[in-house]
PDB file of all heavy atoms in Angstrom:
ATOM      1  N   ALA A 282     -34.006  12.706 -11.936  1.00  0.00           N
ATOM      2  CA  ALA A 282     -34.152  12.030 -13.225  1.00  0.00           C
ATOM      3  C   ALA A 282     -34.268  10.516 -13.075  1.00  0.00           C
ATOM      4  O   ALA A 282     -34.469   9.814 -14.061  1.00  0.00           O
ATOM      5  CB  ALA A 282     -32.952  12.361 -14.121  1.00  0.00           C
ATOM      6  N   THR A 283     -34.136  10.020 -11.836  1.00  0.00           N
ATOM      7  CA  THR A 283     -34.045   8.582 -11.599  1.00  0.00           C
ATOM      8  C   THR A 283     -35.325   8.045 -10.967  1.00  0.00           C
ATOM      9  O   THR A 283     -35.894   8.674 -10.077  1.00  0.00           O
ATOM     10  CB  THR A 283     -32.835   8.290 -10.684  1.00  0.00           C
ATOM     11  OG1 THR A 283     -31.677   8.899 -11.264  1.00  0.00           O
ATOM     12  CG2 THR A 283     -32.599   6.795 -10.521  1.00  0.00           C
ATOM     13  N   ALA A 284     -35.762   6.879 -11.431  1.00  0.00           N
ATOM     14  CA  ALA A 284     -37.000   6.281 -10.937  1.00  0.00           C
ATOM     15  C   ALA A 284     -36.845   5.798  -9.487  1.00  0.00           C
ATOM     16  O   ALA A 284     -35.740   5.497  -9.039  1.00  0.00           O
ATOM     17  CB  ALA A 284     -37.375   5.089 -11.825  1.00  0.00           C
ATOM     18  N   ASP A 285     -37.950   5.702  -8.774  1.00  0.00           N
ATOM     19  CA  ASP A 285     -37.931   5.073  -7.453  1.00  0.00           C
ATOM     20  C   ASP A 285     -37.389   3.653  -7.614  1.00  0.00           C
ATOM     21  O   ASP A 285     -37.779   2.925  -8.525  1.00  0.00           O
ATOM     22  CB  ASP A 285     -39.346   5.017  -6.874  1.00  0.00           C
ATOM     23  CG  ASP A 285     -39.604   6.203  -5.952  1.00  0.00           C
ATOM     24  OD1 ASP A 285     -38.788   7.153  -5.947  1.00  0.00           O
ATOM     25  OD2 ASP A 285     -40.612   6.176  -5.238  1.00  0.00           O
ATOM     26  N   GLY A 286     -36.477   3.269  -6.722  1.00  0.00           N
ATOM     27  CA  GLY A 286     -35.849   1.957  -6.851  1.00  0.00           C
ATOM     28  C   GLY A 286     -34.661   1.969  -7.807  1.00  0.00           C
ATOM     29  O   GLY A 286     -34.000   0.944  -7.978  1.00  0.00           O
ATOM     30  N   GLY A 287     -34.382   3.112  -8.410  1.00  0.00           N
ATOM     31  CA  GLY A 287     -33.276   3.213  -9.355  1.00  0.00           C
ATOM     32  C   GLY A 287     -31.946   3.506  -8.676  1.00  0.00           C
ATOM     33  O   GLY A 287     -31.855   3.582  -7.447  1.00  0.00           O
ATOM     34  N   THR A 288     -30.906   3.661  -9.509  1.00  0.00           N
ATOM     35  CA  THR A 288     -29.550   3.880  -9.012  1.00  0.00           C
ATOM     36  C   THR A 288     -28.902   5.044  -9.753  1.00  0.00           C
ATOM     37  O   THR A 288     -29.021   5.144 -10.970  1.00  0.00           O
ATOM     38  CB  THR A 288     -28.689   2.612  -9.226  1.00  0.00           C
ATOM     39  OG1 THR A 288     -29.220   1.551  -8.433  1.00  0.00           O
ATOM     40  CG2 THR A 288     -27.236   2.839  -8.812  1.00  0.00           C
ATOM     41  N   VAL A 289     -28.236   5.912  -8.986  1.00  0.00           N
ATOM     42  CA  VAL A 289     -27.407   6.959  -9.585  1.00  0.00           C
ATOM     43  C   VAL A 289     -25.951   6.590  -9.338  1.00  0.00           C
ATOM     44  O   VAL A 289     -25.577   6.258  -8.210  1.00  0.00           O
ATOM     45  CB  VAL A 289     -27.687   8.345  -8.949  1.00  0.00           C
ATOM     46  CG1 VAL A 289     -26.823   9.414  -9.618  1.00  0.00           C
ATOM     47  CG2 VAL A 289     -29.155   8.705  -9.049  1.00  0.00           C
ATOM     48  N   ILE A 290     -25.135   6.622 -10.390  1.00  0.00           N
ATOM     49  CA  ILE A 290     -23.697   6.394 -10.229  1.00  0.00           C
ATOM     50  C   ILE A 290     -22.990   7.716 -10.491  1.00  0.00           C
ATOM     51  O   ILE A 290     -23.104   8.282 -11.575  1.00  0.00           O
ATOM     52  CB  ILE A 290     -23.154   5.339 -11.223  1.00  0.00           C
ATOM     53  CG1 ILE A 290     -24.091   4.130 -11.318  1.00  0.00           C
ATOM     54  CG2 ILE A 290     -21.754   4.907 -10.826  1.00  0.00           C
ATOM     55  CD1 ILE A 290     -23.624   3.087 -12.343  1.00  0.00           C
ATOM     56  N   PHE A 291     -22.289   8.215  -9.475  1.00  0.00           N
ATOM     57  CA  PHE A 291     -21.578   9.487  -9.608  1.00  0.00           C
ATOM     58  C   PHE A 291     -20.123   9.220  -9.964  1.00  0.00           C
ATOM     59  O   PHE A 291     -19.370   8.691  -9.145  1.00  0.00           O
ATOM     60  CB  PHE A 291     -21.636  10.272  -8.294  1.00  0.00           C
ATOM     61  CG  PHE A 291     -23.003  10.804  -7.943  1.00  0.00           C
ATOM     62  CD1 PHE A 291     -23.756  10.219  -6.939  1.00  0.00           C
ATOM     63  CD2 PHE A 291     -23.535  11.895  -8.608  1.00  0.00           C
ATOM     64  CE1 PHE A 291     -25.013  10.711  -6.608  1.00  0.00           C
ATOM     65  CE2 PHE A 291     -24.793  12.394  -8.283  1.00  0.00           C
ATOM     66  CZ  PHE A 291     -25.536  11.803  -7.284  1.00  0.00           C
ATOM     67  N   PHE A 292     -19.724   9.579 -11.194  1.00  0.00           N
ATOM     68  CA  PHE A 292     -18.314   9.438 -11.562  1.00  0.00           C
ATOM     69  C   PHE A 292     -17.566  10.757 -11.518  1.00  0.00           C
ATOM     70  O   PHE A 292     -16.357  10.771 -11.611  1.00  0.00           O
ATOM     71  CB  PHE A 292     -18.172   8.824 -12.965  1.00  0.00           C
ATOM     72  CG  PHE A 292     -18.369   7.357 -12.957  1.00  0.00           C
ATOM     73  CD1 PHE A 292     -19.492   6.795 -13.524  1.00  0.00           C
ATOM     74  CD2 PHE A 292     -17.453   6.533 -12.334  1.00  0.00           C
ATOM     75  CE1 PHE A 292     -19.693   5.436 -13.486  1.00  0.00           C
ATOM     76  CE2 PHE A 292     -17.644   5.170 -12.292  1.00  0.00           C
ATOM     77  CZ  PHE A 292     -18.770   4.616 -12.870  1.00  0.00           C
ATOM     78  N   SER A 293     -18.289  11.872 -11.405  1.00  0.00           N
ATOM     79  CA  SER A 293     -17.613  13.167 -11.418  1.00  0.00           C
ATOM     80  C   SER A 293     -16.959  13.443 -10.078  1.00  0.00           C
ATOM     81  O   SER A 293     -17.586  13.334  -9.021  1.00  0.00           O
ATOM     82  CB  SER A 293     -18.623  14.262 -11.712  1.00  0.00           C
ATOM     83  OG  SER A 293     -18.078  15.514 -11.371  1.00  0.00           O
ATOM     84  N   MET A 294     -15.682  13.864 -10.124  1.00  0.00           N
ATOM     85  CA  MET A 294     -14.984  14.247  -8.899  1.00  0.00           C
ATOM     86  C   MET A 294     -15.531  15.562  -8.351  1.00  0.00           C
ATOM     87  O   MET A 294     -15.158  15.981  -7.261  1.00  0.00           O
ATOM     88  CB  MET A 294     -13.492  14.390  -9.174  1.00  0.00           C
ATOM     89  CG  MET A 294     -12.779  13.065  -9.289  1.00  0.00           C
ATOM     90  SD  MET A 294     -12.911  12.099  -7.781  1.00  0.00           S
ATOM     91  CE  MET A 294     -12.701  10.461  -8.475  1.00  0.00           C
ATOM     92  N   ALA A 295     -16.389  16.227  -9.105  1.00  0.00           N
ATOM     93  CA  ALA A 295     -17.004  17.460  -8.614  1.00  0.00           C
ATOM     94  C   ALA A 295     -18.251  17.162  -7.785  1.00  0.00           C
ATOM     95  O   ALA A 295     -18.929  18.078  -7.318  1.00  0.00           O
ATOM     96  CB  ALA A 295     -17.358  18.368  -9.793  1.00  0.00           C
ATOM     97  N   THR A 296     -18.559  15.893  -7.562  1.00  0.00           N
ATOM     98  CA  THR A 296     -19.750  15.530  -6.789  1.00  0.00           C
ATOM     99  C   THR A 296     -19.588  15.925  -5.321  1.00  0.00           C
ATOM    100  O   THR A 296     -18.541  15.709  -4.727  1.00  0.00           O
ATOM    101  CB  THR A 296     -19.985  14.010  -6.869  1.00  0.00           C
ATOM    102  OG1 THR A 296     -20.091  13.625  -8.238  1.00  0.00           O
ATOM    103  CG2 THR A 296     -21.248  13.615  -6.120  1.00  0.00           C
ATOM    104  N   SER A 297     -20.631  16.497  -4.748  1.00  0.00           N
ATOM    105  CA  SER A 297     -20.641  16.815  -3.323  1.00  0.00           C
ATOM    106  C   SER A 297     -21.403  15.723  -2.580  1.00  0.00           C
ATOM    107  O   SER A 297     -22.576  15.466  -2.862  1.00  0.00           O
ATOM    108  CB  SER A 297     -21.325  18.159  -3.086  1.00  0.00           C
ATOM    109  OG  SER A 297     -21.816  18.237  -1.757  1.00  0.00           O
ATOM    110  N   PHE A 298     -20.701  15.098  -1.629  1.00  0.00           N
ATOM    111  CA  PHE A 298     -21.334  14.026  -0.863  1.00  0.00           C
ATOM    112  C   PHE A 298     -22.598  14.518  -0.160  1.00  0.00           C
ATOM    113  O   PHE A 298     -23.656  13.893  -0.241  1.00  0.00           O
ATOM    114  CB  PHE A 298     -20.349  13.470   0.167  1.00  0.00           C
ATOM    115  CG  PHE A 298     -20.898  12.322   0.957  1.00  0.00           C
ATOM    116  CD1 PHE A 298     -20.759  11.022   0.510  1.00  0.00           C
ATOM    117  CD2 PHE A 298     -21.581  12.538   2.147  1.00  0.00           C
ATOM    118  CE1 PHE A 298     -21.282   9.955   1.222  1.00  0.00           C
ATOM    119  CE2 PHE A 298     -22.118  11.480   2.870  1.00  0.00           C
ATOM    120  CZ  PHE A 298     -21.962  10.187   2.404  1.00  0.00           C
ATOM    121  N   SER A 299     -22.491  15.666   0.511  1.00  0.00           N
ATOM    122  CA  SER A 299     -23.652  16.104   1.293  1.00  0.00           C
ATOM    123  C   SER A 299     -24.792  16.572   0.385  1.00  0.00           C
ATOM    124  O   SER A 299     -25.960  16.373   0.711  1.00  0.00           O
ATOM    125  CB  SER A 299     -23.263  17.183   2.308  1.00  0.00           C
ATOM    126  OG  SER A 299     -22.752  18.317   1.661  1.00  0.00           O
ATOM    127  N   ALA A 300     -24.465  17.171  -0.760  1.00  0.00           N
ATOM    128  CA  ALA A 300     -25.543  17.579  -1.671  1.00  0.00           C
ATOM    129  C   ALA A 300     -26.305  16.357  -2.172  1.00  0.00           C
ATOM    130  O   ALA A 300     -27.532  16.379  -2.292  1.00  0.00           O
ATOM    131  CB  ALA A 300     -24.975  18.367  -2.847  1.00  0.00           C
ATOM    132  N   ALA A 301     -25.593  15.270  -2.447  1.00  0.00           N
ATOM    133  CA  ALA A 301     -26.260  14.049  -2.901  1.00  0.00           C
ATOM    134  C   ALA A 301     -27.106  13.449  -1.790  1.00  0.00           C
ATOM    135  O   ALA A 301     -28.295  13.152  -1.978  1.00  0.00           O
ATOM    136  CB  ALA A 301     -25.215  13.036  -3.385  1.00  0.00           C
ATOM    137  N   ALA A 302     -26.514  13.299  -0.602  1.00  0.00           N
ATOM    138  CA  ALA A 302     -27.223  12.644   0.504  1.00  0.00           C
ATOM    139  C   ALA A 302     -28.451  13.451   0.910  1.00  0.00           C
ATOM    140  O   ALA A 302     -29.555  12.913   1.032  1.00  0.00           O
ATOM    141  CB  ALA A 302     -26.274  12.472   1.697  1.00  0.00           C
ATOM    142  N   LEU A 303     -28.263  14.756   1.109  1.00  0.00           N
ATOM    143  CA  LEU A 303     -29.377  15.572   1.579  1.00  0.00           C
ATOM    144  C   LEU A 303     -30.382  15.821   0.464  1.00  0.00           C
ATOM    145  O   LEU A 303     -31.574  15.978   0.719  1.00  0.00           O
ATOM    146  CB  LEU A 303     -28.851  16.891   2.140  1.00  0.00           C
ATOM    147  CG  LEU A 303     -27.984  16.727   3.393  1.00  0.00           C
ATOM    148  CD1 LEU A 303     -27.340  18.052   3.767  1.00  0.00           C
ATOM    149  CD2 LEU A 303     -28.826  16.194   4.558  1.00  0.00           C
ATOM    150  N   GLY A 304     -29.906  15.863  -0.769  1.00  0.00           N
ATOM    151  CA  GLY A 304     -30.814  16.079  -1.892  1.00  0.00           C
ATOM    152  C   GLY A 304     -31.800  14.941  -2.031  1.00  0.00           C
ATOM    153  O   GLY A 304     -33.009  15.157  -2.154  1.00  0.00           O
ATOM    154  N   ALA A 305     -31.303  13.720  -1.993  1.00  0.00           N
ATOM    155  CA  ALA A 305     -32.188  12.567  -2.132  1.00  0.00           C
ATOM    156  C   ALA A 305     -33.170  12.511  -0.964  1.00  0.00           C
ATOM    157  O   ALA A 305     -34.364  12.244  -1.140  1.00  0.00           O
ATOM    158  CB  ALA A 305     -31.364  11.276  -2.187  1.00  0.00           C
ATOM    159  N   GLU A 306     -32.656  12.789   0.243  1.00  0.00           N
ATOM    160  CA  GLU A 306     -33.531  12.792   1.411  1.00  0.00           C
ATOM    161  C   GLU A 306     -34.597  13.874   1.275  1.00  0.00           C
ATOM    162  O   GLU A 306     -35.781  13.635   1.541  1.00  0.00           O
ATOM    163  CB  GLU A 306     -32.683  13.020   2.667  1.00  0.00           C
ATOM    164  CG  GLU A 306     -33.504  13.014   3.947  1.00  0.00           C
ATOM    165  CD  GLU A 306     -32.653  13.317   5.176  1.00  0.00           C
ATOM    166  OE1 GLU A 306     -31.435  13.073   5.141  1.00  0.00           O
ATOM    167  OE2 GLU A 306     -33.234  13.806   6.169  1.00  0.00           O
ATOM    168  N   GLY A 307     -34.177  15.050   0.843  1.00  0.00           N
ATOM    169  CA  GLY A 307     -35.102  16.168   0.739  1.00  0.00           C
ATOM    170  C   GLY A 307     -36.184  15.931  -0.305  1.00  0.00           C
ATOM    171  O   GLY A 307     -37.285  16.454  -0.199  1.00  0.00           O
ATOM    172  N   LEU A 308     -35.868  15.136  -1.314  1.00  0.00           N
ATOM    173  CA  LEU A 308     -36.840  14.830  -2.361  1.00  0.00           C
ATOM    174  C   LEU A 308     -37.600  13.548  -2.045  1.00  0.00           C
ATOM    175  O   LEU A 308     -38.423  13.102  -2.837  1.00  0.00           O
ATOM    176  CB  LEU A 308     -36.120  14.677  -3.700  1.00  0.00           C
ATOM    177  CG  LEU A 308     -35.503  15.976  -4.233  1.00  0.00           C
ATOM    178  CD1 LEU A 308     -34.476  15.689  -5.308  1.00  0.00           C
ATOM    179  CD2 LEU A 308     -36.607  16.881  -4.761  1.00  0.00           C
ATOM    180  N   ALA A 309     -37.315  12.952  -0.888  1.00  0.00           N
ATOM    181  CA  ALA A 309     -37.917  11.669  -0.529  1.00  0.00           C
ATOM    182  C   ALA A 309     -37.778  10.697  -1.697  1.00  0.00           C
ATOM    183  O   ALA A 309     -38.734  10.033  -2.092  1.00  0.00           O
ATOM    184  CB  ALA A 309     -39.379  11.848  -0.128  1.00  0.00           C
ATOM    185  N   ALA A 310     -36.564  10.645  -2.242  1.00  0.00           N
ATOM    186  CA  ALA A 310     -36.303   9.824  -3.423  1.00  0.00           C
ATOM    187  C   ALA A 310     -35.668   8.508  -2.993  1.00  0.00           C
ATOM    188  O   ALA A 310     -34.594   8.501  -2.401  1.00  0.00           O
ATOM    189  CB  ALA A 310     -35.360  10.564  -4.377  1.00  0.00           C
ATOM    190  N   ASP A 311     -36.335   7.406  -3.305  1.00  0.00           N
ATOM    191  CA  ASP A 311     -35.803   6.087  -2.943  1.00  0.00           C
ATOM    192  C   ASP A 311     -34.851   5.619  -4.043  1.00  0.00           C
ATOM    193  O   ASP A 311     -35.171   4.743  -4.836  1.00  0.00           O
ATOM    194  CB  ASP A 311     -36.965   5.099  -2.763  1.00  0.00           C
ATOM    195  CG  ASP A 311     -36.456   3.708  -2.418  1.00  0.00           C
ATOM    196  OD1 ASP A 311     -35.303   3.586  -1.973  1.00  0.00           O
ATOM    197  OD2 ASP A 311     -37.229   2.742  -2.607  1.00  0.00           O
ATOM    198  N   VAL A 312     -33.667   6.248  -4.084  1.00  0.00           N
ATOM    199  CA  VAL A 312     -32.667   5.869  -5.079  1.00  0.00           C
ATOM    200  C   VAL A 312     -31.384   5.440  -4.367  1.00  0.00           C
ATOM    201  O   VAL A 312     -31.057   5.952  -3.301  1.00  0.00           O
ATOM    202  CB  VAL A 312     -32.336   7.029  -6.048  1.00  0.00           C
ATOM    203  CG1 VAL A 312     -33.545   7.407  -6.886  1.00  0.00           C
ATOM    204  CG2 VAL A 312     -31.796   8.226  -5.291  1.00  0.00           C
ATOM    205  N   THR A 313     -30.707   4.471  -4.964  1.00  0.00           N
ATOM    206  CA  THR A 313     -29.396   4.054  -4.484  1.00  0.00           C
ATOM    207  C   THR A 313     -28.357   4.942  -5.146  1.00  0.00           C
ATOM    208  O   THR A 313     -28.404   5.135  -6.358  1.00  0.00           O
ATOM    209  CB  THR A 313     -29.148   2.584  -4.866  1.00  0.00           C
ATOM    210  OG1 THR A 313     -30.145   1.780  -4.228  1.00  0.00           O
ATOM    211  CG2 THR A 313     -27.766   2.124  -4.426  1.00  0.00           C
TER     212      THR A 313
END
Side-chain angles (χ1 to χ4, degrees):
Chain A
T283 307
D285 264 12
T288 295
V289 181
I290 316 177
F291 291 106
F292 281 110
S293 164
M294 284 300 155
T296 304
S297 157
F298 183 89
S299 61
L303 295 172
E306 181 183 335
L308 293 163
D311 179 19
V312 295
T313 298

